[in-house]
């Protein structure tokens, strides 16, 4: 059972037309025995392809961001659910601050999508 879900970029109503970096969210500490999941729904697409990654930092300012989840680069509507991180890899404050980053492979693209974190 998912205890909580945190959308990291809600581009479901208005399509995005350029590469970008989302807001950093504090998803909270992960208690022992819990897992962090990442999901992505691409609701509409145009030409080219969309690549979405979820990054993590030890600070709310985003210093030292590293990729923790990378979704398959997709040129069509799709959904993806990635292998979870367990508390063995998420027990420090290193894992609290998350954001989405998205890249489009060609100019003139338009995507509606929703990347999110789930905690179980």
């Amino acid at each position: 059972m998912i205890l909580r879900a945190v959308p990291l970029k809600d581009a479901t109503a208005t399509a995005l037309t350029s590469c970008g970096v989302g807001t950093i969210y504090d998803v909270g500490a992960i208690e022992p025995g819990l897992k962090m999941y990442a999901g992505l729904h691409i609701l509409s697409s145009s030409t080219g392809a969309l690549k979405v990654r979820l990054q993590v930092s030890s600070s709310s300012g985003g210093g030292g961001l590293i990729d923790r989840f990378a979704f398959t680069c997709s040129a069509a509507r799709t959904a993806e659910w990635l292998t979870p991180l367990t508390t063995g890899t998420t027990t420090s404050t290193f894992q609290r601050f998350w954001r989405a980053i998205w890249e489009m492979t060609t100019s003139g693209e338009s995507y509606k999508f929703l990347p999110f974190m789930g905690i179980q």
Side-chain angles (χ1 to χ4, degrees), residues 8-19:
L8 297 177
K9 178 63 181 176
D10 186 355
T12 57
T14 303
L16 296 179
T17 58
S18 62
C19 301

Side-chain angles (χ1 to χ4, degrees), residues 38 40 51-54 67-73 80 82:
L40 173 67
K51 180 178 181 180
V52 177
R53 294 176 284 140
L54 302 184
D67 292 351
R68 277 293 188 203
F69 290 106
F71 296 97
T72 303
C73 189
E80 190 172 356
L82 297 179

Side-chain angles (χ1 to χ4, degrees), residues 11-48:
T12 57
T14 303
L16 296 179
T17 58
S18 62
C19 301
V21 175
T23 303
I24 296 175
Y25 293 96
D26 183 350
V27 301
I30 306 306
E31 301 299 324
L34 296 181
K35 297 177 184 176
M36 295 186 78
Y37 290 85
L40 173 67
H41 290 282
I42 299 177
L43 306 170
S44 69
S45 64
S46 62
T47 62

Side-chain angles (χ1 to χ4, degrees), residues 50-89:
L50 176 70
K51 180 178 181 180
V52 177
R53 294 176 284 140
L54 302 184
Q55 298 180 320
V56 66
S57 175
S58 61
S59 72
S60 61
L65 283 158
I66 60 168
D67 292 351
R68 277 293 188 203
F69 290 106
F71 296 97
T72 303
C73 189
S74 180
R77 291 176 45 188
T78 188
E80 190 172 356
W81 188 253
L82 297 179
T83 303
L85 297 175
T86 62
T87 53
T89 56

